Amino acid sequence: MKLFVISCSYHAQISQLSAYLALKYLPGITELIFLWDDLLPNLENQPEPHKFTNKNVINFSSFQSVNLIQDGWIRQQIVKLQLHHITNDESFYVLDGDTLLRNTIDLRPNKVLGNFDVCYQPYFDFITNELKLKKLTDFSFISPLLLLERNVLS
């Protein structure tokens, strides 16, 4: 199964470790592809993606309309929703490049992988201010590891 790791210059260094641990703790990964947010400015002394990995790298700018989104986190979500356009796989994983896995994760279908308590306030501000929606739960549904399926995205 394919694994896409989202990265950018802000956490380029830790993304290498994230990818290494993902290959170690996610059984069945057959291909690793970095999704590089090239629309963010590069930080000084941070490597370009091709300099820190010999894996495949796809730039965010190759996705439709993402250059119109200013917030990097929202831009990531738009890229995730378009991944079915660049892979023929029926399902695939997406991992945030600043996530470090510490244990083997069971990848059986229909199994809950974990409960991540993540609160990214700009996400909730965007939903409230732009979409005029309210948060109705105490948890966020934000997950640093996603299983995405082609039939749901297309």
Side-chain angles (χ1 to χ4, degrees):
M1 185 173 295
K2 259 182 204 147
L3 171 67
F4 293 94
V5 177
I6 293 184
S7 189
C8 66
S9 62
Y10 298 142
H11 51 76
Q13 303 289 346
I14 199 166
S15 292
Q16 296 173 78
L17 180 57
S18 177
Y20 169 79
L21 292 172
L23 291 173
K24 180 178 179 179
Y25 291 123
L26 291 173
I29 300 301
T30 57
E31 186 176 359
L32 173 67
I33 300 169
F34 281 92
L35 298 170
W36 183 261
D37 191 345
D38 60 324
L39 301 173
L40 286 174
N42 277 331
L43 298 176
E44 276 189 50
N45 302 320
Q46 292 297 320
E48 290 292 324
H50 63 279
K51 293 182 181 173
F52 77 84
T53 181
N54 61 354
K55 306 296 182 196
N56 295 331
V57 177
I58 299 173
N59 288 328
F60 273 30
S61 60
S62 66
F63 290 90
Q64 185 177 7
S65 303
V66 295
N67 58 339
L68 303 175
I69 310 293
Q70 295 299 312
D71 184 279
W73 190 86
I74 300 296
R75 190 167 45 240
Q76 288 179 14
Q77 309 321 302
I78 301 300
V79 166
K80 290 174 189 176
L81 293 174
Q82 294 184 45
L83 286 175
H84 66 290
H85 294 299
I86 63 167
T87 182
N88 293 325
D89 297 32
E90 289 303 315
S91 56
F92 46 89
Y93 288 92
V94 180
L95 179 69
D96 292 350
D98 58 351
T99 301
L100 301 178
L101 301 178
R102 301 182 334 189
N103 299 310
T104 300
I105 295 180
D106 188 347
L107 299 179
R108 287 180 293 175
N110 302 319
K111 182 169 177 17
V112 175
L113 298 180
N115 183 3
F116 301 99
D117 186 19
V118 178
C119 181
Y120 184 71
Q121 195 55 47
Y123 168 77
F124 298 112
D125 293 345
F126 176 82
I127 287 175
T128 302
N129 298 333
E130 302 300 323
L131 302 178
K132 308 297 184 219
L133 300 173
K134 292 183 181 180
K135 186 172 185 274
L136 300 176
T137 65
D138 292 334
F139 49 92
S140 69
F141 294 103
I142 297 172
S143 177
L145 175 63
L146 296 173
L147 169 62
L148 298 178
E149 296 183 4
R150 168 179 289 290
N151 65 343
V152 174
L153 294 176
S154 53

